[in-house]
Amino acid sequence: MTRILYSLCGADGRTHYSPHVWKVIMALGLKGLDFELRPVTFKQISGIEDGSFTSVPVLNDNGHLECDSFRIAVHLDESYPEKAALFSCPAARASARFAECFCQSVLHPPLSVVTVLGMHSIMGPECQVHFRSVREKRFGKTLEEIAAGRDVEFVSFREKLEPLRSYLAIHPWFGGEEPQFSDCILFGTFQWAHVTVKATLFSEDDPVADWFGRCRDLCGELAGISVAA
Ligand SMILES: N[C@@H](CCC(=O)N[C@@H](CS)C(=O)NCC(=O)O)C(=O)O
């Protein structure tokens, strides 16, 4: 029985910083499935398993290869229906896509600015070169110029959590009464920032902070590692 999850990792070999990989780590934790987390650099992605992958996460589940966090979650539910459900019904799968869109279009833009130097600082030299070139092309600025906006974007990030706070006053999890993949998606975004940013993401009395702590507990000791930039 082997289950291997490939993950982008800092130069220390233990700081996993991809939001999409964290979604899968929490999903595996939720389902109670063991796995080996295998660190890779950007350059090593093309050498994963059969060489057909261009991004992580990639999961080798006893010989079955799956890429893309959402597809991996669907695979896990289909393969292990006896374990806790990541999608309790088709509507839950659809609303998890909403969580994905919300993260990508509302939370990732400010966090891309807030995390940019922290991410760069934890990478090894080879990853740093790749990351700098991709980000500088995307933003049309140097990493340092991008990071100059981080205080403003951090305030903006916290403001954007308002719908999550309102929701958590009604349900304990974004999946409702139990955590589901929508929780994993949101968690992945926050965990990415948590491991790469020095500032505390949430104020102490923020209901999102309490929910985030419960998600981290589901990831076990892996989520305990935090490297500040
Ligand atoms: N939609 C994909 C996105 C995966 C993705 O963008 N992964 C990034 C890391 S966070 C990656 O592997 N990038 C490769 C590269 O930039 O070369 C998912 O949910 O898994």
Side-chain angles (χ1 to χ4, degrees):
M1 181 65 109
T2 54
R3 199 170 288 111
I4 302 164
L5 177 62
Y6 294 90
S7 167
L8 276 173
C9 192
D12 63 359
R14 60 187 202 121
T15 307
H16 298 272
Y17 59 84
S18 160
H20 310 290
V21 171
W22 275 109
K23 296 173 192 176
V24 178
I25 293 175
M26 181 172 160
L28 288 163
L30 254 177
K31 286 192 99 67
L33 295 169
D34 291 339
F35 62 99
E36 179 200 331
L37 195 54
R38 203 168 281 181
V40 290
T41 63
F42 284 112
K43 215 170 182 177
Q44 289 168 336
I45 292 176
S46 60
I48 292 174
E49 297 288 348
D50 63 6
S52 65
F53 302 104
T54 54
S55 66
V56 292
V58 173
L59 182 72
N60 179 339
D61 188 9
N62 295 290
H64 175 96
L65 296 178
E66 202 69 71
C67 177
D68 182 84
S69 54
F70 209 99
R71 288 174 55 138
I72 291 172
V74 171
H75 158 78
L76 292 175
D77 254 12
E78 285 174 356
S79 304
Y80 306 99
E82 73 286 6
K83 305 276 191 185
L86 297 173
F87 309 104
S88 58
C89 62
R93 197 189 283 197
S95 62
R97 281 294 191 193
F98 175 77
E100 190 179 60
C101 293
F102 177 76
C103 286
Q104 288 293 140
S105 60
V106 177
L107 299 181
H108 280 225
L111 285 179
S112 295
V113 173
V114 170
T115 60
V116 77
L117 283 188
M119 287 177 80
H120 184 259
S121 75
I122 63 174
M123 292 173 185
E126 176 196 296
C127 279
Q128 283 181 331
V129 171
H130 171 84
F131 181 74
R132 181 177 283 279
S133 121
V134 171
R135 290 293 156 122
E136 293 191 347
K137 202 167 172 188
R138 187 190 301 169
F139 283 84
K141 299 179 192 179
T142 65
L143 286 193
E144 291 70 20
E145 285 166 348
I146 300 166
R150 68 180 166 185
D151 291 348
V152 172
E153 293 296 344
F154 188 70
V155 172
S156 156
F157 157 73
R158 281 194 167 180
E159 283 169 3
K160 290 180 160 90
L161 302 181
E162 207 41 50
L164 306 187
R165 295 184 189 110
S166 306
Y167 181 93
L168 288 170
I170 305 167
H171 293 291
W173 299 97
F174 292 97
E177 296 316 297
E178 301 292 337
Q180 294 194 42
F181 196 58
S182 49
D183 291 273
C184 304
I185 291 171
L186 287 153
F187 168 74
T189 293
F190 298 129
Q191 181 68 2
W192 156 47
H194 178 77
V195 300
T196 55
V197 170
K198 198 178 253 168
T200 308
L201 284 187
F202 317 107
S203 61
E204 244 173 62
D205 58 350
D206 190 332
V208 182
D210 175 74
W211 163 86
F212 182 59
R214 287 183 275 124
C215 291
R216 296 183 79 217
D217 289 345
L218 286 166
C219 296
E221 61 184 28
L222 273 173
I225 299 163
S226 167
V227 175

